């Protein structure tokens, strides 16, 4: 019923196309539609805040074929903004247990005009979706239609955020896969590992995946 | 440890385990990594009768030394010199490990006896391998029969120095086991052309997505001026020194997907070419992308060396 709006195809060397869109909702929609109709020869589909990068294997797909495929999918009808239904393959879903004990929880809740308990309720009630990944292997940027807040980053980033920390920044939630520096406001600690280097698929989260958080006993 | 082991005495500037990397995982935030000079890796594996997935050591600028320790148990893929056609009367028991040195050029010796590049060479047990400083190119590829073993992370033994995946860079005292990535016997010696050292590296560039962020003078400078490889060059990226590329749009982009070879231009105007361990997304505009055919050449560029860009054929 809706279109993703104009998709601008930009060159990214001889083996990739960068598709630029108006915003994250359009990115989620187009990335989902591309993923659902992905031909062999597409090596990588990398959504970001306003773009989808499509990398191809030139032995199996030409750049012209890839562009025609992207333009066809972008022009086609789809189920709606950020649609999780429609013809797309069913999204994977994950339940992540969290101890909501982060050092920034109380101050952030106060800044948002609620109690810590209310913030935890809103966060666990919201259905989250992995918009894109980045920053570190396994780090997913999660968005939710039920999370309208715009959380500022810390003015001075921490030099060491422990692995498993659940942080908030802008419209996003994210779980740190390993200890890194970081400027997100920390509200808890996930019991579920989001990155296991020795697993066959080390990263738990992929773009399009659905995520719910569940408060575990402190 | 079963099988022979390579005991590292000096890794040099940076020595890592690399194979063909982990392509196709950028959507999970995982870089492709893998040998920067992919042709050198493929050649080493072919010379040794390895599979294409065997891992080798990528040794930056040389200064490497290691001792080969004999097998503590049954030999694995590494110690089967009897299969080499040039050593037909080889005894059954392995007496060393077949190796091949490709990529950069420099003096290499085993217990003081020099050996040449681009050929299978037997490294006897108990002897010391030394690789001197590179005199041409910057990255040696040391292949071993069967491949170097290391934990397989996301389908690859490669070390990703930015994300910290795979075996960390080698340190003195490290012991490396040998894997069993053997495809067949060591092939009869084939002629391998030696690379010719050029005074000026020529690197092909394909169009990038944000070329319109730059003034016409930037494109003229990119293709018209020689660029100097700075000391700020590693597996993540290579900063180039030359005229600052003038922008017509300021600010940063929201992060967007990157590819190996992307020429990012930060506000300084000095371009950085992203390499195999580079970030999978980035916020600096990409003016152009190094053609895949030029990436191996670029991987061998040395700090202080000059290169010129030309337009890739469409």
């Amino acid at each position: 019923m809706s279109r993703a709006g104009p998709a601008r195809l930009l060159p990214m060397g001889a083996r990739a196309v960068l598709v630029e869109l108006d915003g994250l909702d359009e990115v989620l929609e187009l990335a989902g539609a591309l993923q659902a109709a992905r031909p062999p020869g597409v090596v990588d589909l990398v959504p970001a805040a306003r773009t989808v990068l499509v990398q191809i294997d030139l032995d199996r797909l030409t750049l012209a074929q890839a562009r025609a495929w992207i333009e066809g999918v972008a022009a086609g009808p789809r189920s709606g903004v950020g649609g999780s239904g429609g013809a797309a393959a069913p999204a994977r879903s994950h339940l992540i247990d969290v101890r909501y004990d982060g050092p920034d929880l109380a101050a952030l809740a106060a800044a948002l005009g609620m109690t810590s308990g209310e913030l935890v309720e809103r966060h666990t009630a919201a259905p989250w979706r992995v918009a894109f990944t980045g920053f570190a292997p396994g780090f997913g940027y999660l968005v939710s239609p039920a999370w309208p807040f715009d959380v500022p980053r810390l003015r001075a980033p921490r030099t060491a955020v422990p692995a498993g920390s659940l942080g908030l920044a802008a419209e996003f939630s994210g779980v740190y896969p390993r200890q890194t520096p970081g400027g997100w406001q920390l509200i808890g600690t996930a019991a579920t590992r989001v990155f296991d280097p020795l697993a066959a698929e080390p990263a738990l989260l992929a773009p399009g995946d659905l995520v719910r958080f569940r408060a575990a006993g402190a | 440890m079963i099988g022979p082991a390579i005991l590292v005495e000096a890794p040099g500037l940076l020595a890592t385990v690399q194979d063909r990397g982990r392509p196709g995982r950028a959507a999970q935030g995982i870089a492709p990594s893998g040998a920067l000079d992919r042709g050198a890796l493929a050649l080493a594996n072919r010379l040794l009768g390895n599979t294409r997935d065997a891992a080798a050591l990528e040794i930056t600028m040389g200064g490497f030394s290691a001792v080969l320790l004999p097998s503590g148990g049954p030999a694995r893929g590494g110690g089967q010199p009897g299969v080499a056609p040039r050593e037909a009367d080889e005894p059954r028991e392995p007496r060393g490990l077949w190796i091949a040195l490709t990529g950069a050029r420099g003096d290499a010796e085993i217990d003081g006896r020099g050996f040449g590049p681009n050929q299978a060479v037997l490294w006897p047990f108990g002897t010391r391998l030394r690789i001197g400083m590179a005199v041409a190119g910057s990255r040696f590829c040391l292949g071993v029969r069967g491949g170097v073993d290391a934990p397989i992370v996301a389908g690859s033994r490669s070390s990703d120095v930015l994300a910290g995946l795979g075996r960390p860079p080698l340190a003195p005292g490290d012991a490396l086991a040998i894997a069993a990535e053997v495809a067949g016997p060591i092939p009869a010696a084939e002629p391998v052309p030696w690379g010719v050292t050029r005074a000026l590296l020529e690197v092909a560039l394909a169009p990038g997505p944000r070329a319109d962020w730059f003034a016409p003078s930037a494109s003229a400078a990119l293709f018209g001026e020689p660029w100097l490889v700075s000391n700020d060059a590693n597996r993540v990226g290579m900063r180039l020194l030359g005229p600052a590329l003038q922008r017509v749009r300021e600010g940063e982009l929201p992060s967007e997907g990157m590819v190996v070879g992307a020429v990012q231009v930060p506000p300084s105007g000095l371009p950085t070419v992203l390499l195999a361990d580079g970030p999978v997304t980035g916020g600096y505009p990409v003016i152009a992308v190094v053609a895949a055919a030029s990436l191996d050449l670029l991987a061998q560029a040395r700090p202080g060396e000059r290169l010129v860009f030309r337009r890739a054929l469409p």
Side-chain angles (χ1 to χ4, degrees):
Chain A
M1 71 183 195
S2 75
R3 284 164 180 260
R8 295 170 291 282
L9 272 58
L10 307 173
M12 180 63 109
R15 299 187 295 185
V17 176
L18 189 69
V19 189
E20 188 175 48
L21 298 146
D22 288 339
L24 186 56
D25 288 339
E26 289 80 5
V27 166
L28 288 171
E29 188 180 347
L30 181 65
L34 290 173
Q35 184 65 42
R38 181 173 175 162
V42 171
V43 177
D44 239 325
L45 267 178
V46 188
R50 283 219 290 271
T51 53
V52 181
L53 175 69
V54 180
Q55 296 204 64
I56 61 170
D57 175 356
L58 288 180
D59 289 338
R60 289 187 283 179
L61 204 63
T62 67
L63 207 52
Q65 287 169 332
R67 294 177 68 97
W69 168 65
I70 295 164
E71 282 169 342
V73 172
R78 276 183 299 282
S79 55
V81 168
S84 53
R92 299 188 306 167
S93 35
H94 311 278
L95 182 63
I96 296 180
D97 281 317
V98 174
R99 272 185 292 115
Y100 283 89
D101 59 356
D104 303 320
L105 176 63
L108 176 62
L112 296 175
M114 60 180 89
T115 67
S116 296
E118 284 165 350
L119 189 151
V120 171
E121 263 176 43
R122 296 278 305 250
H123 198 261
T124 52
W128 295 89
R129 184 167 182 207
V130 181
F132 50 88
T133 67
F135 171 64
F139 188 93
Y141 289 77
L142 278 56
V143 294
S144 173
W147 190 260
F149 307 111
D150 183 9
V151 175
R153 285 175 170 76
L154 297 176
R155 291 176 64 178
R158 293 183 169 89
T159 54
V161 173
S165 295
L166 169 62
L168 302 178
E171 64 195 294
F172 303 109
S173 283
V175 178
Y176 283 77
R178 62 194 177 98
Q179 181 177 308
T180 53
W184 290 31
Q185 301 213 40
L186 306 182
I187 62 168
T189 308
T192 309
R193 281 184 86 173
V194 293
F195 193 81
D196 177 1
L198 296 183
E201 290 300 328
L204 179 71
L205 305 177
D209 285 3
L210 305 176
V211 175
R212 296 299 284 258
F213 293 101
R214 182 170 66 185
Chain B
M1 188 174 284
I2 309 274
I6 298 169
L7 182 64
V8 177
E9 294 179 323
L13 191 63
L14 176 74
T16 58
V17 176
Q18 298 294 338
D19 56 16
R20 295 197 297 157
R22 31 185 92 85
R25 294 175 181 270
Q28 300 160 47
I30 298 175
S33 294
L36 288 189
D37 186 341
R38 299 171 69 86
L41 172 69
L43 173 60
N45 281 333
R46 200 168 74 232
L47 291 169
L48 293 163
N50 288 340
T51 71
R52 281 148 41 103
D53 288 324
L57 296 184
E58 182 177 278
I59 296 164
T60 307
M61 299 309 290
F64 177 91
S65 77
V67 172
L68 184 65
L69 302 178
S71 170
R76 294 166 69 189
Q80 298 168 11
V83 297
R86 279 152 297 163
E87 302 276 338
D89 55 351
E90 190 72 27
R92 285 261 167 90
E93 287 302 307
R95 58 189 176 92
L97 178 67
W98 288 92
I99 61 173
L101 189 62
T102 63
R105 292 289 175 272
D107 288 336
E109 54 172 58
I110 295 171
D111 268 5
R113 297 180 62 181
F115 66 93
N118 298 350
Q119 58 179 317
V121 175
L122 184 70
W123 181 8
F125 291 131
T127 62
R128 175 174 289 108
L129 168 73
R130 285 183 200 275
I131 300 172
M133 296 312 291
V135 294
S138 62
R139 290 183 171 94
F140 294 94
C141 177
L142 177 63
V144 307
R145 168 91 171 149
V148 175
D149 207 1
I152 295 176
V153 175
S156 165
R157 294 183 173 92
S158 289
S159 168
D160 178 337
V161 300
L162 180 65
L165 302 185
R167 185 188 177 108
L170 302 187
D174 280 3
L176 294 162
I178 309 303
E181 302 279 0
V182 172
I186 292 178
E190 52 180 315
V192 175
W194 283 38
V196 178
T197 308
R198 272 159 289 195
L200 209 55
L201 300 172
E202 192 179 85
V203 173
L205 290 183
R210 305 295 172 189
D212 62 347
W213 278 48
F214 297 88
S217 67
S219 178
L222 190 63
F223 290 102
E225 303 285 339
W227 293 88
L228 199 66
V229 178
S230 76
N231 287 320
D232 200 358
N234 55 29
R235 289 187 45 83
V236 174
M238 177 184 285
R239 181 166 301 162
L240 302 176
L241 303 176
L245 301 177
Q246 296 295 319
R247 282 202 206 171
V248 291
R249 284 180 65 175
E250 290 307 320
E252 283 191 21
L253 289 161
S255 281
E256 58 192 27
M258 289 289 140
V259 297
V260 175
V263 182
Q264 277 195 336
V265 185
S268 72
L270 294 179
T272 294
V273 184
L274 298 185
L275 299 179
D277 290 0
V280 297
T281 58
Y284 294 131
V286 171
I287 188 171
V289 179
V290 174
S294 290
L295 285 172
D296 285 2
L297 188 65
L298 193 66
Q300 294 295 356
R302 301 157 63 93
E305 205 164 355
R306 290 196 306 166
L307 57 85
V308 292
F309 290 119
R310 65 170 172 81
R311 289 178 204 279
L313 299 174

